[in-house]
Amino acid sequence: EERLQYPAARRDESVVDDYHGVKVADPYRWLEDPDAEEVKEFVEKQVKLTDSVLKTCETKEKLHEKITKLIDHPRYDTPFKRGNSYFYFHNTGLQAQSVLFIQDDLDSEAEVLLDPNTLSDDGTVSLSSIAISEDATYLSYGLSSSGSDWVTIRVMKIQDKKVEPDTLSWVKFSGITWTHDGKGFFYSRYPAPQEGEKIDAGTETNSNLYHELYYHFLGTDQNEDVLCWRDQENPKHMFGSKVTDDGKYLIMTTEEGCDPVNKVYHCDLSSLPKGLEGFRGSKTLLPFVKLIDTFDAQYIAIANDETLFTFFTNKDAPKYKLVRVDLKEPSKWTDIVAEHEKDVLSTACVVNGNQLVVSYMSDVKHILQIRDLESGSLLHRLPVDIGSVGGVFARRKDTTFFFRFTSFLTPGVIHKCDLSSEAPEVTVFREISVHGFDRRAFQVTQVFYPSKDGTKIPMFIVAKKDIELDGSHPCLLYAYGGFSSSMTPFFSATRIVLSRHLGAVFCFANIRGGGEYGEEWHKAGALANKQNCFDDFIYGAEYLVSAGYTQPRKLCIEGSSNGGILIGACINQRPDLFGCALAHVGVMDMLRFHKFTIGHAWTSEFGCSDKEEEFHWLIKYSPLHNVKRPWEQKMDRFVQYPSTMLLTADHDDRVVPLHTFKLLATMQYELSLRLENSPQTNPIIARIEVKAGHGAGRPTQKMIDEAADRYAFMAKMVDSSWID
Ligand SMILES: O=C(NCC(=O)N1CCC[C@H]1C(=O)O)OCc1ccccc1
């Protein structure tokens, strides 16, 4: 087939860095400036090239239509109580953003409280967080534009839905937590940009440093807010806040990266002589007591009775446990729910006065239990199918709570659990049905295949029932592998369409780096062990081929963000194993990622090229630095890179687009431009979205458009035919 004409991108051979004596060229360094005319031209040419390729992907329109139809079903999230009202999010199907509803009772008329779709004409303003005051008088909410991490906090009076003038800017990576007097709330922010420092809400690449914790008094200007905490000596530190259920304590957590470890400071708000008012206009920080002042474990406060606190922790418990401490005797800790020998404690939430709702992850499936808060002893097991439980928003004073259940073949069920009688009563509160989807046509299998070092890796395989294991099927293999983030079953309308109309098998490999088996599993795929993630994924692909599900030229691999590294590294290491590769918002320059926006927080997972030993970990797998021509390697047969689509967006300030731009230019040059008649005929392209970010808050239409594009590309490249 004809070879693509790639746009030539300038190579500045003069840019060579010295990492601990090792010279590393970075000829596309100029692509790191999103505002440079030359970069805008680069993007324009790449968009044109990609559009020309997408025009030849004939399943695009049909995929778009089928995905739109299947996504167009009403979706609800779990209801939660504040004051005497219930709140829940709902999407009728194709709304750009879900809408927040309020109702007095579960079966009374619900009305719209906040509809983010009215905040922009193209649905690109999204709700990033909400917090309702204790008596449900006020709703404070964070708005983000074009998918950026930057948030503007607003406040609405619930009773008349009037939006107050309060507007808080420069908010990022922030919770919102009200004091129970309803006078205001704690939130986190970054300092306003210095003179001349360009911050334009999501397209800048400046590093986010010197996080601060503030308290905002309702009805005042942001510049009157009380600075509660900051740490000038530790620019990477980030501060979270939570007011306890009894309204008495402010619990502040400090993180310095993405590892599940944090400090815990507490402040007894009732002991402040003049309350928080006493701090207005002063630079004095709040008087915190340091309960935990190291980063050797994670501690999340889940309940307290006066000074007796219950914490969710991984201290000496990589599969997590619940512990208790009296603030008056901070060195005496006792186990309440001991670490399970196999299952990972995932969530714990106090409910019904003195009970706990806890969920465990057992071989990547959730178990739900009710336990006694005081002793931790098991009271009830709640019946849930094989799948994922989420959205448990319980309050100590509620006897009822709701939870969401989903799985690969269950679009989403909201269950209600009533604990008012002796035995819990679990009922279906809302069932999300997807018309035209018949789960009986599909089957889900969980396999445990051995990786390179023999470690058993779980993988979910979803396929139409009774397929022939003759290697003929297109297959989509997805993984993430990092940040102790676990990938449990979830419903994807898009993948159902791929299965039904392209005959695709879709798979999810729970590779190391995730949290599926606790912190050991996470650490086994991080820092010096990152290659385990790639081995796990490669062996998963080999398993799918040897078991007859698919064959290399029909196998498409896909990953996002940290999962984008996975894709970049795997096509570098095994270009022969895949027919297609889709890498979303990947971190592709592992030597420089820590210099941009929040990248510095990821050194806990990847290490940092500033350190010699860690540089040698990173240079070995960094996608940008390991693009090699397979036909020049000692590959045992003629090999080229799979057809590759890199995806990014102009307002992605989590993983800045420069990673994708630099890898794209490098692959197009090394594999094609630098040779006459290169053997690389598989396309290497990028899909660059505008007015979009890392993914959170992306409007439905943009998600459908992107899915249709990338899977039409996949369909063409693995040469799968449409099934009506
Ligand atoms: O950076 C992340 N999360 C990690 C993240 O988004 N990553 C990690 C690598 C690339 C990208 C991804 O995989 O989505 O969130 C910001 C944050 C908040 C609080 C404390 C530290 C950091």
Side-chain angles (χ1 to χ4, degrees):
E1 68 203 71
E2 85 298 340
R3 185 176 299 101
L4 280 186
Q5 293 308 315
Y6 297 112
R10 174 165 67 88
R11 287 174 60 83
D12 182 348
E13 308 292 359
S14 73
V15 180
V16 179
D17 295 304
D18 179 322
Y19 289 93
H20 318 286
V22 178
K23 299 273 187 282
V24 180
D26 192 8
Y28 300 108
R29 176 71 56 85
W30 59 272
L31 279 169
E32 292 184 4
D33 174 1
D35 299 323
E37 270 320 303
E38 201 182 7
V39 176
K40 290 178 183 171
E41 277 164 33
F42 172 86
V43 169
E44 249 166 66
K45 289 176 190 162
Q46 295 296 345
V47 167
K48 273 201 188 67
L49 175 70
T50 301
D51 286 347
S52 69
V53 171
L54 288 175
K55 274 194 183 56
T56 68
C57 303
E58 60 278 359
T59 60
K60 194 159 90 80
E61 283 67 29
K62 285 186 281 192
L63 275 173
H64 195 280
E65 181 213 325
K66 298 292 184 188
I67 293 169
T68 303
K69 231 156 76 182
L70 210 60
I71 281 190
D72 186 7
H73 61 268
R75 295 186 289 285
Y76 294 88
D77 209 338
T78 27
F80 55 94
K81 249 187 128 174
R82 284 290 176 277
N84 294 320
S85 303
Y86 282 93
F87 300 83
Y88 63 89
F89 280 97
H90 171 56
N91 191 313
T92 54
L94 295 176
Q95 288 177 290
Q97 306 291 338
S98 295
V99 178
L100 179 61
F101 283 80
I102 181 173
Q103 56 186 158
D104 296 337
D105 257 312
L106 288 175
D107 43 19
S108 63
E109 189 62 30
E111 57 180 31
V112 173
L113 179 60
L114 177 58
D115 179 356
N117 298 298
T118 62
L119 303 176
S120 70
D121 54 10
D122 59 0
T124 53
V125 168
S126 55
L127 207 47
S128 68
S129 60
I130 64 165
I132 293 162
S133 61
E134 197 57 22
D135 61 0
T137 305
Y138 291 107
L139 161 71
S140 53
Y141 52 101
L143 295 175
S144 123
S145 296
S146 299
S148 160
D149 277 328
W150 287 112
V151 164
T152 301
I153 295 178
R154 304 302 306 267
V155 182
M156 175 193 283
K157 190 136 181 293
I158 290 176
Q159 190 267 328
D160 57 9
K161 303 194 188 73
K162 197 170 71 63
V163 178
E164 303 292 330
D166 305 63
T167 303
L168 307 183
S169 302
W170 309 119
V171 175
K172 212 188 224 196
F173 311 132
S174 170
I176 305 175
T177 182
W178 286 81
T179 45
H180 286 200
D181 58 13
K183 288 183 181 163
F185 49 83
F186 296 97
Y187 71 98
S188 307
R189 58 163 289 180
Y190 282 99
Q194 315 304 324
E195 282 314 303
E197 192 180 355
K198 183 192 77 65
I199 297 256
D200 92 5
T203 62
E204 83 290 345
T205 64
N206 314 48
S207 188
N208 302 133
L209 298 168
Y210 296 105
H211 209 220
E212 300 168 324
L213 179 66
Y214 272 90
Y215 181 81
H216 173 70
F217 282 96
L218 222 46
T220 67
D221 278 350
Q222 181 171 20
N223 54 29
E224 294 174 61
D225 288 0
V226 170
L227 170 63
C228 301
W229 194 259
R230 69 176 171 187
D231 185 341
Q232 307 288 73
E233 272 71 56
N234 292 287
K236 286 180 60 167
H237 284 190
M238 300 169 75
F239 307 106
S241 59
K242 185 94 184 67
V243 170
T244 50
D245 273 355
D246 58 11
K248 192 167 161 48
Y249 295 93
L250 168 64
I251 303 292
M252 182 180 75
T253 54
T254 302
E255 293 172 301
E256 66 171 1
C258 289
D259 267 350
V261 297
N262 62 272
K263 294 184 174 181
V264 178
Y265 292 3
H266 57 84
C267 173
D268 177 349
L269 297 170
S270 64
S271 72
L272 302 175
K274 287 181 274 176
L276 288 161
E277 278 78 359
F279 290 83
R280 292 181 75 154
S282 94
K283 280 280 176 216
T284 320
L285 302 180
L286 289 195
F288 280 106
V289 175
K290 300 177 179 178
L291 176 66
I292 302 286
D293 205 20
T294 64
F295 291 115
D296 71 359
Q298 180 176 68
Y299 293 87
I300 300 173
I302 57 164
N304 71 294
D305 288 283
E306 290 302 319
T307 58
L308 203 55
F309 273 74
T310 306
F311 280 93
F312 174 95
T313 185
N314 54 23
K315 170 74 175 164
D316 308 324
K319 292 185 186 61
Y320 294 83
K321 64 179 179 180
L322 298 187
V323 294
R324 182 148 302 142
V325 68
D326 190 328
L327 301 187
K328 292 193 289 254
E329 292 176 82
S331 55
K332 195 163 150 295
W333 296 78
T334 44
D335 282 5
I336 295 302
V337 176
E339 180 187 33
H340 192 274
E341 87 274 8
K342 183 174 179 300
D343 299 342
V344 182
L345 181 64
S346 301
T347 54
C349 189
V350 67
V351 69
N352 195 23
N354 62 357
Q355 294 180 336
L356 288 163
V357 189
V358 302
S359 75
Y360 282 92
M361 194 165 33
S362 177
D363 280 334
V364 207
K365 292 154 283 191
H366 281 129
I367 290 169
L368 206 48
Q369 301 171 344
I370 303 294
R371 286 178 174 262
D372 173 67
L373 171 62
E374 203 276 326
S375 66
S377 57
L378 177 61
L379 301 176
H380 307 285
R381 282 188 184 77
L382 299 183
V384 288
D385 277 344
I386 290 185
S388 310
V389 166
V392 177
F393 303 120
R395 287 184 317 177
R396 186 163 190 169
K397 56 185 163 187
D398 296 337
T399 58
T400 296
F401 72 95
F402 299 84
F403 62 92
R404 186 184 56 245
F405 173 79
T406 183
S407 75
F408 294 113
L409 301 180
T410 314
V413 184
I414 306 289
H415 288 285
K416 179 180 170 189
C417 179
D418 183 339
L419 297 168
S420 50
S421 53
E422 177 40 42
E425 193 195 348
V426 178
T427 52
V428 171
F429 177 67
R430 272 196 181 112
E431 184 129 28
I432 298 171
S433 63
V434 176
H435 55 255
F437 164 60
D438 175 3
R439 61 178 297 155
R440 290 167 306 177
F442 299 88
Q443 72 191 40
V444 181
T445 319
Q446 183 179 35
V447 298
F448 297 83
Y449 64 87
S451 181
K452 180 174 186 175
D453 62 1
T455 304
K456 286 295 178 66
I457 309 298
M459 173 159 64
F460 288 109
I461 301 172
V462 187
K464 279 200 282 207
K465 265 199 177 112
D466 312 325
I467 57 163
E468 277 289 296
L469 295 186
D470 58 2
S472 67
H473 310 284
C475 181
L476 178 61
L477 173 60
Y478 187 95
Y480 180 74
F483 297 86
S484 60
S485 161
S486 306
M487 197 164 51
T488 59
F490 66 101
F491 185 77
S492 159
T494 300
R495 286 185 179 84
I496 295 296
V497 171
L498 301 183
S499 177
R500 185 186 308 157
H501 293 290
L502 298 178
V505 173
F506 57 94
C507 312
F508 300 89
N510 294 102
I511 62 177
R512 280 174 279 186
E516 283 84 354
Y517 292 101
E519 261 308 276
E520 286 132 343
W521 195 254
H522 168 221
K523 290 190 165 62
L527 297 172
N529 302 321
K530 190 67 185 170
Q531 181 61 36
N532 281 339
C533 306
F534 314 138
D535 293 338
D536 293 356
F537 197 62
I538 287 165
Y539 276 67
E542 304 261 66
Y543 170 85
L544 290 168
V545 172
S546 58
Y549 285 98
T550 189
Q551 59 189 277
R553 70 179 187 82
K554 296 190 103 34
L555 174 57
C556 178
I557 54 173
E558 183 175 22
S560 175
S561 204
N562 166 71
I565 307 171
L566 174 72
I567 302 308
C570 288
I571 60 177
N572 282 343
Q573 297 181 18
R574 290 295 307 275
D576 60 303
L577 189 51
F578 317 108
C580 186
L582 307 172
H584 300 248
V585 292
V587 183
M588 303 308 195
D589 183 344
M590 295 310 290
L591 302 185
R592 290 174 63 80
F593 71 84
H594 57 289
K595 296 173 178 301
F596 311 109
T597 64
I598 195 59
H600 64 74
W602 314 334
T603 57
S604 56
E605 187 84 7
F606 302 130
C608 181
S609 60
D610 292 349
K611 296 187 182 122
E612 183 162 18
E613 179 195 13
E614 300 179 7
F615 160 73
H616 286 291
W617 301 340
L618 293 164
I619 190 67
K620 282 195 185 58
Y621 71 80
S622 173
L624 178 66
H625 302 90
N626 288 281
V627 176
K628 294 181 177 54
R629 284 171 293 286
W631 49 88
E632 290 173 4
Q633 312 298 311
K634 51 193 177 319
M635 288 272 169
D636 53 9
R637 58 196 176 295
F638 166 73
V639 173
Q640 58 173 309
Y641 269 60
S643 301
T644 301
M645 178 187 278
L646 307 180
L647 299 99
T648 187
D650 57 1
H651 284 75
D652 186 346
D653 48 8
R654 183 69 62 90
V655 175
V656 287
L658 62 92
H659 287 279
T660 289
F661 295 166
K662 292 172 79 174
L663 177 63
L664 180 71
T666 301
M667 289 179 76
Q668 290 179 345
Y669 175 74
E670 294 296 346
L671 301 174
S672 182
L673 282 169
R674 67 178 274 173
L675 312 146
E676 288 299 312
N677 295 331
S678 154
Q680 180 69 36
T681 54
N682 292 336
I684 309 287
I685 60 173
R687 186 183 187 282
I688 302 159
E689 182 67 86
V690 288
K691 285 192 81 177
H694 195 56
R698 188 165 295 194
T700 306
Q701 201 49 59
K702 278 185 181 288
M703 290 206 281
I704 295 172
D705 295 348
E706 187 201 274
D709 284 355
R710 71 177 188 265
Y711 292 129
F713 176 74
M714 173 191 81
K716 178 179 172 70
M717 297 305 155
V718 302
D719 160 32
S720 63
S721 43
W722 184 264
I723 306 161
D724 261 327

